[in-house]
């Protein structure tokens, strides 16, 4: 059995989707980020960085893994699925996983902060991060023009990138002019395991939409966290 410590964020949903795809039994441990549960001594003993997600594999002696990318690699290697075992195939998956970890996630997270949460609107910062998000989306679109998935077969690289790309509207970035990215997004969204995974746990607000009252309340709560200097795991790069 695996314990998944998580919240309804793109990074949290990466791991719940992978667990659902792999059919691994797990127990959901939802942390209230607004209440600071990710900084409790009990959780810091699992993840010293105090971010989500993290897993504890009780079938491996209570082995703990933190950082979402590390969790995905661990689960893929544990099961022998969602990542090839040959060196080149494995490298292709890891390259696109690192593309998300070092690019898509951080840039969309910063776009969220300056576009949605920061109390003062700074146009140059908004333009910078939204522009970089769009550039990265174009990289994905160009690659997906010739490939059904990012690294051969469907893999943890697709899961990681999709969990963030699906929330592009929340970052204020359109993908209407990126047909191959839209095709890939829709194909992954149709997978039953993905649909289950994004409900573990369900979001308080649908980050794929915009403009409703729930979205406004969510943004205001996040803005208060920014103003008080708290870690905003809900969209700025939870591990």
């Amino acid at each position: 059995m695996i314990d998944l410590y998580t919240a309804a964020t793109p990074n949290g949903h990466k791991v719940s989707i992978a667990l659902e795809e792999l059919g691994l039994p797990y127990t959901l441990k939802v942390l209230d980020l607004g209440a600071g549960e990710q900084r409790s001594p009990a959780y810091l003993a699992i993840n010293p960085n105090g971010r989500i997600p993290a897993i504890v594999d009780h079938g491996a002696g209570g082995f703990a893994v933190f950082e979402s990318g590390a969790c995905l690699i661990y689960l893929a290697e544990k099961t022998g699925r969602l990542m090839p075992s040959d060196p080149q195939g494995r490298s292709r998956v890891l390259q696109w996983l690192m593309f998300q970890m070092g690019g898509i996630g951080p840039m969309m997270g910063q776009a969220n902060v300056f576009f949605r949460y920061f109390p003062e609107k700074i146009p140059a910062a908004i333009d910078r991060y939204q522009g970089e998000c769009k550039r990265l989306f174009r990289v994905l679109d160009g690659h997906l023009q010739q490939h059904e998935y990012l690294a051969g077969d469907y893999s943890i690289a697709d899961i990681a990138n999709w969990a963030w790309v699906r929330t592009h509207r929340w970052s204020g970035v359109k993908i209407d002019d990126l047909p191959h990215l839209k095709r890939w997004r829709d194909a992954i969204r149709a997978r039953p395991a993905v649909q289950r995974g994004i409900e573990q746990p369900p979001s308080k607000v649908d980050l794929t939409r915009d403009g409703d009252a729930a979205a406004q309340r969510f943004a205001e709560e996040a803005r208060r966290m920014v103003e008080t200097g708290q870690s905003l795991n809900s969209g700025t790069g939870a591990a």
Side-chain angles (χ1 to χ4, degrees):
M1 179 65 72
I2 291 173
D3 289 341
L4 169 59
Y5 292 84
T6 190
T9 76
N11 283 332
H13 284 150
K14 290 182 203 174
V15 181
S16 56
I17 290 169
L19 287 164
E20 291 289 342
E21 290 280 12
L22 294 167
L24 292 172
Y26 66 99
T27 300
L28 201 64
K29 306 281 190 179
V30 181
L31 300 183
D32 185 337
L33 304 181
E37 290 181 355
Q38 71 276 23
R39 296 188 296 277
S40 70
Y43 184 64
L44 289 174
I46 296 168
N47 180 356
N49 195 32
R51 310 291 288 276
I52 63 93
I55 60 175
V56 176
D57 186 354
H58 294 287
F63 184 69
V65 185
F66 67 94
E67 292 291 325
S68 60
C71 292
L72 292 176
I73 294 168
Y74 178 82
L75 294 172
E77 292 182 336
K78 176 182 176 71
T79 60
R81 295 171 57 199
L82 295 177
M83 183 169 64
S85 58
D86 68 283
Q88 291 186 356
R90 184 176 186 274
S91 177
R92 290 188 187 96
V93 169
L94 293 179
Q95 288 172 55
W96 285 107
L97 176 61
M98 295 305 114
F99 177 86
Q100 185 278 306
M101 298 293 296
I104 292 285
M107 294 301 103
M108 292 186 70
Q110 291 302 316
N112 292 347
V113 168
F114 288 104
F115 179 63
R116 293 280 179 187
Y117 310 142
F118 206 67
E120 177 187 355
K121 296 302 180 186
I122 305 174
I126 295 171
D127 291 347
R128 184 267 188 274
Y129 289 112
Q130 289 182 338
E132 181 62 5
C133 289
K134 190 61 179 272
R135 185 191 71 80
L136 293 169
F137 289 170
R138 290 193 186 101
V139 173
L140 290 172
D141 186 72
H143 183 73
L144 290 165
Q145 183 175 5
Q146 302 296 330
H147 302 85
E148 182 178 9
Y149 296 111
L150 291 175
D153 294 334
Y154 177 70
S155 72
I156 57 173
D158 297 289
I159 292 172
N161 281 277
W162 182 87
W164 277 94
V165 170
R166 68 181 286 266
T167 69
H168 65 91
R169 288 189 180 90
W170 194 250
S171 302
V173 183
K174 296 180 180 180
I175 64 169
D176 295 341
D177 58 337
L178 302 175
H180 312 293
L181 183 62
K182 288 175 62 180
R183 183 270 307 162
W184 170 86
R185 178 202 61 185
D186 294 345
I188 294 175
R189 183 170 56 193
R191 296 177 67 92
V194 171
Q195 294 173 18
R196 294 192 302 270
I198 59 174
E199 293 298 318
Q200 302 297 325
S203 299
K204 294 180 180 179
V205 59
D206 185 351
L207 297 182
T208 68
R209 298 174 56 193
D210 193 6
D212 60 13
Q216 183 63 30
R217 289 194 298 271
F218 181 87
E220 289 173 356
E221 178 183 343
R223 186 174 298 114
R224 287 194 295 272
M225 294 177 70
V226 169
E227 289 172 341
T228 58
Q230 296 184 51
S231 171
L232 190 59
N233 288 1
S234 54
T236 63

